[in-house]
Structures are given as C-alpha cells and as structure tokens.
C-alpha cells in the first residue's frame, strides 16, 4: 500500500503520494487525525490545544518554506493572554514582550488629549491578565518551541492544490506531488486562505478597507533618552492625514514599534498578499518625505519624538488593510476555517491573535466530545462563534474611522471628541468597544456548547 506524505510522516517516513480513493473502512465518530493548513499563530495554537486536550493527532502543513518573519508587533489583550497561558507560552513571552498597558492620546501640537493608566484595568482585575505587545516573530517562535516539545509534525513548503472529501476522510494534495488524508481539515492559512479558495468558499474574496499603513521597529538606542522616556506605553497621535501609533515592544524597552495608517488608494503594481518591505534608499526616503509633510505642524517634545522615529527608520513595511465580508460560510463537510481564513477583520481592535486563539480553543472542545461527529462539530463552531466574531468585527471597523483623512475643522472635532471621551462622565470611553471588560474579560472555555 502506498502511503501519503502525511501518513508517512506520522510513521517517521517521507514519501510522495497521490489522492487516494475514499477509505470505506467503518469508523466511529471519534476523530483520530487532523490536518492543519497554516503554521502561523492560529495553526500552531490549534495544534497545541488539540494535543493538550484531545486524542487527536495533528499534523501541520505550511505554504512558506520556513517560519515567517513577516509582521511587526501585535497587541494581545487579556482574553488572548489567558489562552496563551493555558497553552504554556505566556510566561516565556513575558520575558520578551512589553506589558505596558497605559494609553496616551496626543494632538498634533503635542498636547495630551487624554490618558489611561491602565487600558485593561477591569479585565486585569477580573482575569489576572493585562495587555502585551510582542513582536510577531517572537510569538511564532514561542509557539513553535512548544510544538517541537510536543512532538507535533510541521512541514514547510507545502502548497495546497486540491481538496476532496470521501465518505469519512478528507484528502489534500500538494504541489510537490505529496498528499495526506485525515478525519478533518482545518484551514488556518490566513486571509488569502487556499482552503477557503479551493474548497470551502471559492467565491469569497478579501475586500480592501481603503486604509493602508507603514510600520517599523527601531532600536531604542537610536533615540534620545528623553524620547525613550516618553514612550512608556501605547501612544497615538491624530493628524489630518491619519494616525500614528508608537509603543515599546520588548520587556526592557530596547525596541520601539511605530506605525502610521491613512486612507490610501490600493496600489496595483505589487503583490498585496502580505504587503512588502521597503529597503531601497529612494523609496524609503520618499515615504519619509511624505511623513515629514504630515508632521509639518507637529510641535513640542512629542512632535520631535515622532520626527526622530521617522528619521531613524531604514526599513519600512507597507501593508494594505484587507478584511473578509461577514456572512460567508466557514465550513464545508469535514473542512473548517479558523482565524483570518474565516473572519479576517481590520486590526483596529487589537484582537486578531486573540480571535484565532478563541477559535482554536472552541473547536478543540467540540472535537474532544467523542459523541459528536466532524460535521456536527464544525456546524456548532460556526453557530457559537459568529455572534462574538461579529461584535469584534464591528468594533474594529468603528475604531478605524478615526484614521480617515480630514481637514483642520474635522481634526478639531476629533480631538475634542477624544477629550470628552476621557473626561466627561457621559463620554464614550476611548477603546471601550475593543478593550471593555465584556470583550477582554471573555473566556471561550466558559461558552456553553
């Protein structure tokens, strides 16, 4: 009998194969094997949770030839940190990431519009977890270390070309000629998911939000001591063109993340899948010139800090912001989409990683029930998760509005709205839709199944 690549891997072998005919052997409802497509935070956390709480053997296939170094620094509030702790990676990340959760909002003239000492104080009191800003590469590395310790197989350089279901197995073929089959196929391969495009929902395409961003990571040594002292936690600055975000992203504050988002026509001359890095002196200098134009009215010490961040940048990442429209199917038969593959949203609620973690924990709970079949588990997942996902999706879209272009009068209105939000009892608290207790205090393991 010829084994597929995945079956060979589980037996400590390597072999290329083909899509076999449907396995007609009788099987119980118990699920023994799961194929996971995607080795980002969603796929890695899912594999770990299946390993921890079920008898299911996961195997991971990743499109890229090696672990990705894409991304800057991601924010993870309390609801996600609690789940990282249950996976066993929270404490290692604490030694690497910034846990500062204070927020300061500046005007373009350097005035403080409002400040919170702790953006997630209520959730911290309830859950014991606060907020973390961590470099994405370090998050992936921590999850991969746990994956290796658990003995879970990960195969890189695997491009999915075909998915087909048999009576009680799902089969996947890869561009290199290898194949695999399992009881369930879980698509954790991001907003441009091959699992969605090939099988679950071929008609669904990401939509451009009209916003794009620049970001970079700067060594703190490149900045003056006074500038480093100002960058204590999350810092945002409103401008007529968009919004700056500045924050430390390491535990000892030796590295600073900064980004700028604005309304931008979608460039059509490059692959927009993951954005792209700008290395060339000419293109970096052109973006710096644009940003200095945005900051021409910036004054005070904070204005000088923003200029210094721009000046000390040698490599920038440009990324257009996409999302998936709500309402599309997340599952088909034995295939289920999770994380951005199912419900990619704008990053303006700081919940992208947390949503993927919640997805992973829920499907692991559902699959652990040996009386529940695969299709039933997938359908239950979609029913339970949709209300929560839609709530966060709308919060992210609402928060994006402040980044849109405006004139002097519009900026004045935004700034005064922010002031009211901080200081008046009836003001709408800044970040409440994304960082409120009901959002960040949520525990997916308490959801009724």
């Amino acid at each position: 009998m010829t084994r597929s690549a995945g079956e060979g891997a589980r037996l400590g072998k390597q072999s290329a194969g083909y899509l076999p005919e449907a396995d007609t052997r009788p099987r119980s409802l118990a699920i023994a094997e799961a194929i996971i497509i995607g080795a980002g935070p969603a796929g890695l956390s899912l594999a770990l949770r299946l390993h921890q709480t079920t008898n299911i053997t996961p195997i991971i296939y990743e499109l890229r030839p090696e672990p990705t170094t894409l991304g800057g620094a991601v924010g993870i509030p309390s609801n996600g940190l609690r789940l990282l702790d249950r996976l066993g990676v929270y404490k290692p990340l604490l030694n690497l990431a910034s846990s500062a959760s204070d927020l300061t909002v500046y005007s373009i003239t350097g005035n403080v519009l409002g400040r919170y000492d702790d953006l997630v104080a209520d959730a911290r009191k309830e859950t014991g977890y606060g907020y973390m800003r961590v470099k994405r590469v370090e998050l992936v590395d921590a999850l991969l270390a746990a994956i290796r310790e658990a003995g879970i197989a990960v195969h890189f350089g695997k491009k999915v070309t075909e998915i087909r279901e048999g009576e009680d197995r799902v089969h996947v073929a890869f561009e290199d000629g290898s194949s695999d089959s399992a009881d369930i196929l879980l698509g954790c391969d991001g907003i441009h998911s091959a699992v969605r495009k090939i099988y679950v929902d071929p008609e669904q395409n990401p939509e451009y939000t009209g916003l794009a961003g620049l970001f970079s990571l700067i060594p703190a040594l490149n900045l003056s001591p006074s500038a480093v002292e100002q960058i204590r936690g999350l810092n945002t600055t409103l401008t007529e063109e968009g919004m700056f975000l500045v924050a430390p992203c390491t535990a000892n504050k030796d590295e600073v993340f900064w980004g700028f988002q604005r309304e931008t026509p979608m460039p059509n001359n490059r692959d927009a899948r993951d954005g792209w890095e700008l290395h060339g002196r000419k293109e970096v200098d052109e973006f710096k010139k644009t940003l200095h134009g945005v900051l021409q009215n910036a004054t005070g010490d904070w204005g000088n800090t923003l200029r210094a961040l721009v000046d000390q940048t040698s490599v920038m990442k440009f990324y257009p912001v996409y999302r998936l429209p709500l309402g599309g199917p997340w599952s088909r038969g034995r295939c289920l989409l999770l994380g951005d593959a199912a419900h990619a949203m704008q990053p303006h609620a700081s919940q992208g990683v947390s949503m993927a973690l919640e997805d992973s924990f829920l499907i692991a709970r559902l699959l652990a029930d040996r009386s529940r079949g695969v299709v039933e588990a997938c359908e239950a997942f979609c029913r339970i998760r949709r209300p929560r996902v839609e709530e966060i999706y709308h919060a992210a879209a609402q928060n994006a509005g402040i980044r849109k272009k405006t004139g002097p009068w519009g900026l004045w209105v935004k700034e005064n709205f922010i002031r009211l939000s901080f200081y008046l009892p009836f003001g709408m608290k800044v970040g409440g839709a994304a960082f409120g207790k009901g959002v960040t205090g949520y525990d997916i393991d308490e959801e009724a199944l």
Side-chain angles (χ1 to χ4, degrees), residues 146-176:
I147 287 285
R148 287 192 290 268
E149 184 176 349
I152 298 170
V154 185
H155 297 279
F156 293 93
K158 294 288 187 176
K159 182 178 181 180
V160 177
T161 57
E162 185 180 0
I163 297 170
R164 179 173 58 79
E165 282 198 54
E167 184 177 349
D168 58 2
R169 300 280 282 182
V170 59
H171 308 277
V172 57
F174 301 100
E175 190 176 57
D176 63 5

Side-chain angles (χ1 to χ4, degrees), residues 145-269:
I147 287 285
R148 287 192 290 268
E149 184 176 349
I152 298 170
V154 185
H155 297 279
F156 293 93
K158 294 288 187 176
K159 182 178 181 180
V160 177
T161 57
E162 185 180 0
I163 297 170
R164 179 173 58 79
E165 282 198 54
E167 184 177 349
D168 58 2
R169 300 280 282 182
V170 59
H171 308 277
V172 57
F174 301 100
E175 190 176 57
D176 63 5
S178 62
S179 66
D180 198 2
S181 67
D183 301 295
I184 187 171
L185 177 64
L186 299 155
C188 301
D189 48 343
I191 188 171
H192 301 282
S193 168
V195 177
R196 186 185 69 247
K197 194 64 180 176
I198 292 173
Y199 192 71
V200 175
D201 188 15
E203 301 304 315
Q204 183 71 279
N205 292 305
E207 61 182 20
Y208 179 49
T209 63
L211 294 171
L214 290 165
F215 69 78
S216 189
L217 300 176
I218 305 295
L221 287 173
N222 292 3
L223 303 171
S224 69
S226 60
V228 174
E229 176 61 27
Q230 282 187 300
I231 307 171
R232 294 187 297 271
L234 299 170
N235 303 272
T236 64
T237 309
L238 304 180
T239 76
E240 292 181 28
E241 294 292 328
M243 191 177 84
F244 281 91
L245 171 66
V246 181
C249 59
T250 56
N252 58 7
K253 297 184 179 180
D254 64 347
E255 204 162 356
V256 176
F257 168 87
W258 76 267
F260 178 70
Q261 287 192 340
R262 64 187 296 186
E263 287 185 286
T264 306
M266 179 58 215
N268 57 12
N269 60 338

